[in-house]
Amino acid sequence: MALESAPPGVDITRPSPARVYDYALGGSANYPVDRQAAEEVWRVAPETRQLARDSRGFLIRAVRFLADEAGIDQFLDIGAGLPTADNVHQVARRANPRAQVVYVDNDPTVRLHAEVLLDGDPNAVFLSGDVRRPEAIIERTRSLLDLDRPVALLLVAVLHFVAEDPRGIVDRLIAALPPGSHLVIAHTTSADMDPAFRERLARTYADAPAPLITRTPEEIEAAFRGRTPLPPGLVDVACWRTAQPRTPGPLRVLGGVARL
């Protein structure tokens, strides 16, 4: 059952990207304002409802690839969102039971749920933090992960809530990571987007703490700091390492993984 009342410190007067995402995935950690925001977008473009599932599927496949084929056992998941089935630590530990994960998010609802989910797990930790303050995140992460060994930096569905200099933020984060680390990005794109839909989308997220920002494929690829994403490159998230066909809709999410 979805939530109707909130604990102290949780703002339920404005939609939260994490809670809207949770609602799209069929979760219960959301409020009327989040459900209303999601339904507003779906009325215009019902096919966008599937994008949350596509993004989650991309995250799961990327983590599985990193833990299994790339041998990564440390994960820094920034903008982690609300806990749901197949979290990063669960997926990674199927390949390596000793995998360590640091989750970071600035939403107090996410923190409350993460504290329950991760209670008693010393190798899966939640930090309250904002991707727009990368140095603060890295400083707190140093005591939790070994930054002299490769780390997977996960920025899935978070940079499109960053208005200023997303590439600079990525640069500052990966500057602290050693060679052999990997960068994972998923981001909404404005490519082929109908102007009327873009305006409707902007209005829907106008009251959110962080409005949704779409960028061109070239702008998203630039966030990889000049490194070419591993095959199959920067593609629709539903198509990354799957044979699933994808019919472009009014809103697309591109994803890719690059080795640093």
Side-chain angles (χ1 to χ4, degrees):
M1 180 180 295
L3 304 174
E4 301 300 327
S5 59
V10 176
D11 182 2
I12 60 172
T13 64
R14 298 188 296 171
S16 154
R19 299 192 309 253
V20 170
Y21 183 57
D22 172 75
Y23 179 57
L25 289 173
S28 60
N30 51 78
Y31 298 92
V33 68
D34 308 302
R35 302 192 284 275
Q36 181 180 348
E39 296 289 350
E40 175 75 10
V41 175
W42 298 342
R43 275 194 294 271
V44 180
E47 61 270 38
T48 61
R49 186 170 192 161
Q50 182 62 33
L51 283 179
R53 299 183 180 95
D54 291 343
S55 295
R56 192 71 187 183
F58 164 73
L59 174 65
I60 291 170
R61 293 192 302 278
V63 170
R64 185 185 302 134
F65 160 75
L66 292 167
D68 188 9
E69 298 183 41
I72 301 295
D73 62 1
Q74 300 187 108
F75 296 81
L76 177 57
D77 184 5
I78 302 178
L82 290 166
T84 184
D86 273 342
N87 289 283
V88 170
H89 67 286
Q90 295 165 326
V91 176
R93 286 177 186 168
R94 290 178 195 142
N96 186 340
R98 296 182 297 279
Q100 296 177 284
V101 179
V102 173
Y103 294 100
V104 181
D105 206 290
N106 64 354
D107 190 316
T109 311
V110 177
R111 175 181 56 80
L112 292 172
H113 284 268
E115 287 174 352
V116 174
L117 177 74
L118 305 177
D119 184 40
D121 188 337
N123 291 324
V125 179
F126 178 85
L127 297 178
S128 292
D130 194 313
V131 68
R132 293 167 294 187
R133 298 174 177 82
E135 287 82 8
I137 292 174
I138 292 297
E139 185 60 32
R140 296 182 66 192
T141 300
R142 290 186 188 281
S143 62
L144 302 170
L145 299 177
D146 181 358
L147 299 189
D148 290 326
R149 296 194 303 108
V151 174
L153 173 60
L154 311 178
L155 297 169
V156 175
V158 63
L159 292 177
H160 51 221
F161 295 109
V162 175
E164 296 183 5
D165 195 21
R167 180 175 181 176
I169 288 172
V170 174
D171 284 350
R172 288 150 67 190
L173 286 166
I174 65 177
L177 305 182
S181 295
H182 286 69
L183 172 64
V184 181
I185 291 176
H187 194 301
T188 56
T189 180
S190 56
D192 304 319
M193 184 181 292
D194 179 74
F197 178 77
R198 184 185 294 113
E199 182 180 346
R200 186 69 172 270
L201 191 67
R203 287 201 308 268
T204 299
Y205 278 93
D207 293 331
L212 182 72
I213 299 169
T214 60
R215 293 185 169 95
T216 66
E218 293 75 20
E219 288 173 316
I220 298 169
E221 195 156 24
F224 282 96
R225 202 171 175 248
R227 293 176 173 85
T228 302
L230 301 175
L234 185 68
V235 297
D236 283 337
V237 287
C239 302
W240 193 85
R241 289 186 162 239
T242 72
Q244 179 178 340
R246 179 66 175 172
T247 301
L251 181 64
R252 296 168 57 204
V253 179
L254 301 182
V257 177
R259 190 177 190 274
L260 305 183

